[in-house]
Amino acid sequence: AQSVAQPEDQVNVAEGNPLTVKCTYSVSGNPYLFWYVQYPNRGLQFLLKYITGDNLVKGSYGFEAEFNKSQTSFHLKKPSALVSDSALYFCAVRDISGNTPLVFGKGTRLSVIA
Amino acid sequence: GAVVSQHPSWVICKSGTSVKIECRSLDFQATTMFWYRQFPKQSLMLMATSNEGSKATYEQGVEKDKFLINHASLTLSTLTVTSAHPEDSSFYICSARDWKGPNTGELFFGEGSRLTVL
């Protein structure tokens, strides 16, 4: 079975500082990995994905994530946080074999303080 | 990216009534759509997988007679909450996969539907 762990419920960071939102995963085979962002009372917006290739993936709004197979991690990062980045972030994984749905982590709320 | 439209965004209904939520893929075809439910301050819980032209596959613990899913075309799936009760109040989100696109597993999400049952 596949699963995702986001160990932090809340991450606080000052505007302009780098941010990291952690994610580790578990799948039986090779993973497809995703990050989504959710603003209040809205659906999910896609940020970035890792399918294959370079371990460092660049996505929307200046976010990036690094796939680390040995640590089974896919942490989301941004060099300089903005107040507008404050939202709920979900990491998701899917095993590349089979037509399986995405499995989401519990989410991490990011607060960027001016 | 592909667009998924969900309607209505907000709905308030009386206990005992039924509510239908529509999920449409606007610029792509989706043989498979997924319905998620999100409780306050919690993650998304997969309720069911909707397959075009066939019965939906429900996750364990989800009542199929309570949450009726119909996927009559390649661009439309509906979720009907039957005989709604206050405990059904939640944020329901649909998602779809572009079946003609590369099978990367990326899902496109609707904006969600906030259901409040009085």
Side-chain angles (χ1 to χ4, degrees), chain A residues 24-110:
Chain A
T24 58
Y25 67 90
S26 174
V27 294
S28 57
N30 291 318
Y32 289 150
L33 292 156
F34 304 83
W35 275 100
Y36 288 86
V37 60
Q38 184 181 33
Y39 296 97
N41 291 311
R42 302 290 298 276
L44 274 67
Q45 295 180 27
F46 170 78
L47 278 180
L48 51 80
K49 64 184 177 185
Y50 170 80
I51 304 301
T52 186
D54 290 341
N55 289 342
L56 183 63
V57 178
K58 294 187 181 297
S60 306
Y61 313 119
F63 283 93
E64 59 187 30
E66 185 167 11
F67 171 60
N68 187 318
K69 188 172 184 177
S70 62
Q71 296 184 5
T72 61
S73 67
F74 191 57
H75 302 329
L76 180 71
K77 299 183 179 184
K78 187 173 182 179
S80 179
L82 300 172
V83 173
S84 57
D85 292 329
S86 299
L88 188 58
Y89 290 81
F90 290 99
C91 180
V93 67
R94 178 190 167 222
D95 193 309
I96 65 172
S97 59
N99 187 26
T100 54
L102 287 182
V103 173
F104 287 86
K106 64 179 181 178
T108 298
R109 185 164 301 280
L110 173 67

Side-chain angles (χ1 to χ4, degrees), chain B residues 17-91:
Chain B
T17 60
S18 295
V19 174
K20 180 183 286 187
I21 301 170
E22 293 186 346
C23 179
R24 294 180 185 273
S25 55
L26 296 187
D27 51 2
F28 67 100
Q29 294 180 325
T31 55
T32 302
M33 291 184 175
F34 302 95
W35 286 95
Y36 290 87
R37 181 174 181 178
Q38 186 178 30
F39 294 97
K41 299 183 179 180
Q42 294 191 30
S43 187
L44 285 76
M45 180 192 77
L46 179 65
M47 299 175 65
T49 301
S50 170
N51 302 297
E52 188 267 337
S54 65
K55 291 182 179 181
T57 303
Y58 290 82
E59 296 298 303
Q60 189 173 8
V62 178
E63 300 176 61
K64 62 180 180 181
D65 295 330
K66 174 74 170 176
F67 299 99
L68 299 179
I69 291 174
N70 183 277
H71 194 155
S73 76
L74 286 171
T75 59
L76 174 64
S77 176
T78 61
L79 167 68
T80 301
V81 182
T82 62
S83 187
H85 287 92
E87 58 265 29
D88 299 325
S89 299
S90 192
F91 193 55

